[in-house]
Amino acid sequence: MDSRMLEIRVDDRTIRAEKGASLLEAMVAAGLLLRSDCGGRGRCGKCQVRVGSADAGGLSAPDESERRFLGDARMSTGHRLACRAVVHGAVSVQVPAESRLAPEVVQKGLPTLLSLPAARSRPPDSAWGIAVDVGTTTVAVYLCDLEQRTIAASTSIRNPQAIFGDDVISRISAVRLDRGSLPRLQSMTVSAIDWAANALCRQVRIDPAGIGDAVAVGNSTMVHLLLGEDPSSIGVFPYAPGFVEARSVSAAEVGLTFNPGARLRTLPLISGYLGADIVSAALAVDLARNASGTMLVDVGTNGEIIMLSAAGLSATSCATGPAFEGAAISHGMQATSGAIDAARFNPQTGSLDVTVVQRGVGPPPRPAGICGSGIISTVAELLRAGIILKSGRFNPDGGSACLRPGVNGAAEFEIVPAGASQTGRPITLTQADVRAVQLAKGALRTGIDLLCRENNLPQPARILLAGAFGSYIDKTAALAIGMFPALPESAIEVVGNAAGAGAILALFDDDYVGRSKALAQTTRVVDLAAHPDFQNTFIQSLSF
């Protein structure tokens, strides 16, 4: 046995770990996936484990990150951050449910096909195809009957790259710091697509070899990683991608096995932060044929915005960060079972009445955390109740017993008491959480306002909200915190997974691939960072 390898116990499994590796690295290598919103940098505190036993010196001493997130009380009961605890000897750990990368994912669902090709413009070389939306967090796969031009089945799977962090910068950093990460990241996405394709074929009872065509979309980093291309240049000025053109390769070239001879195409990119996903979404909503002033907004860890005006199409991106998807929030989680998705302030009790996501049958689960729509709802309600001020600070005179000092004395609002939560710990909204929401909504609002300014428009005439988050957002709450300009709610329309819909249309008809190329080439890119009004607009957008 290699002298550098150790056997460690994780729950009921024994795995091998290299001396000097962190517990997180050892578990990931063994296929045990933990939450790591920050990419293993000790900044999120989500990868907590409990050490049952360890040799003397078997683990590194707790560092400052662990002391900050865990405190002396939890460290005294054996709790550690898996990303900071380095293995030097025999150790046994337990992984609590809230630290695991949950198998349940946010289902992106069946997209609305706003238009369908009247006739097939390419030879029917295969009866089946798949359209793939490779999201930073979730991979959605749609099995399509190409003759009937229908969606036969669909599924979503968590993007396993999430162990490297919840945003594209963490994935880019992983490649820049370790070139061996590129094939690993590619393999993770390819394996997820393979699994989904095979699962859908079993569901419909067809041979996966019958899938002869695939179209994939995603942000620029995800498309690079899918194709095995280095995305490092996207992470440094001038943030240029390695390529922008549409690509066509065999499935075998990227490692897909459901049918190695299938054709895989990706739609073009506009820039490093305007990817094939926003191009695909613009195709699906037929943006070029909408009324002037129509704006398509895809809110994710990177906000992508494209607008039609009298001058044509223009687009920009904004670094909203992962707050709207539950990351970068102290008790944040994805919109899976147990996630708080809406809140209502009760003036009689001074507390919040909450609802939670429920995927199965039976009584509602206890709250486990809070997802993006719940965060926006909570902040909007506390703002309305005067507990959060327009500056974003908690109001010490807000009159609620739920507002109290938290860790290090900073104010926090108790959303759910310890006795009512799944974890046995209170679910709170901290001052840092409110700041994360301000930064995210400020970045998005800045992108919207400056894109309008560049097109000589006071505000959008109509906003189309795309993406999984956009499908769940409460428009009233979003308007209340200033995410969008003061439009009538009827002027804000949810269009679902438009990126997936565009990929399906391109799968059905080659003409849509041609249209995607023209759209990408003619869209004018507005660089927010270089805009002279960026700083002032962003600062003004931070207030609620």
Side-chain angles (χ1 to χ4, degrees), residues 190-221:
V190 166
S191 296
I193 297 171
D194 257 333
W195 177 89
N198 282 287
L200 293 175
C201 286
R202 285 194 300 272
Q203 182 180 333
V204 180
R205 297 183 180 180
I206 65 168
D207 186 344
I211 299 174
D213 213 352
V215 172
V217 299
N219 64 51
S220 299
T221 299

Side-chain angles (χ1 to χ4, degrees), residues 426-437:
I427 298 172
T428 62
L429 183 78
T430 69
Q431 185 67 74
D433 295 337
V434 179
R435 295 301 186 207
V437 172

Side-chain angles (χ1 to χ4, degrees), residues 487-512:
L487 296 170
E489 284 190 30
S490 59
I492 302 175
E493 181 183 347
V494 174
V495 295
N497 185 18
I504 292 167
L505 293 173
L507 184 69
F508 288 156
D509 193 327
D510 281 353
D511 181 58
Y512 281 86

Side-chain angles (χ1 to χ4, degrees), residues 110 128 141-145 150-155 199-201 203-204:
L110 293 175
W128 299 92
V141 181
Y142 304 93
L143 178 65
C144 300
D145 184 326
T150 57
I151 304 168
S154 70
T155 191
L200 293 175
C201 286
Q203 182 180 333
V204 180

Side-chain angles (χ1 to χ4, degrees), residues 413-491:
F413 190 92
E414 184 180 78
I415 303 170
V416 175
S421 76
Q422 280 189 33
T423 63
R425 298 193 298 275
I427 298 172
T428 62
L429 183 78
T430 69
Q431 185 67 74
D433 295 337
V434 179
R435 295 301 186 207
V437 172
Q438 284 183 281
L439 290 171
K441 79 95 182 178
L444 181 67
R445 182 61 184 272
T446 299
I448 292 172
D449 289 350
L450 289 183
L451 195 57
C452 286
R453 202 171 302 169
E454 282 292 300
N455 286 283
N456 297 313
L457 293 170
Q459 64 181 32
R462 179 175 173 231
I463 291 178
L464 306 178
L465 278 180
F469 175 74
S471 299
Y472 293 100
I473 195 172
D474 182 325
K475 292 187 284 187
T476 303
L479 286 165
I481 69 170
M483 276 183 69
F484 308 119
L487 296 170
E489 284 190 30
S490 59

Side-chain angles (χ1 to χ4, degrees), residues 2 80 95 237 294 385 416-417 429 439 543:
D2 187 341
R80 299 291 303 271
V95 183
F237 185 81
T294 301
V416 175
L429 183 78
L439 290 171
S543 296

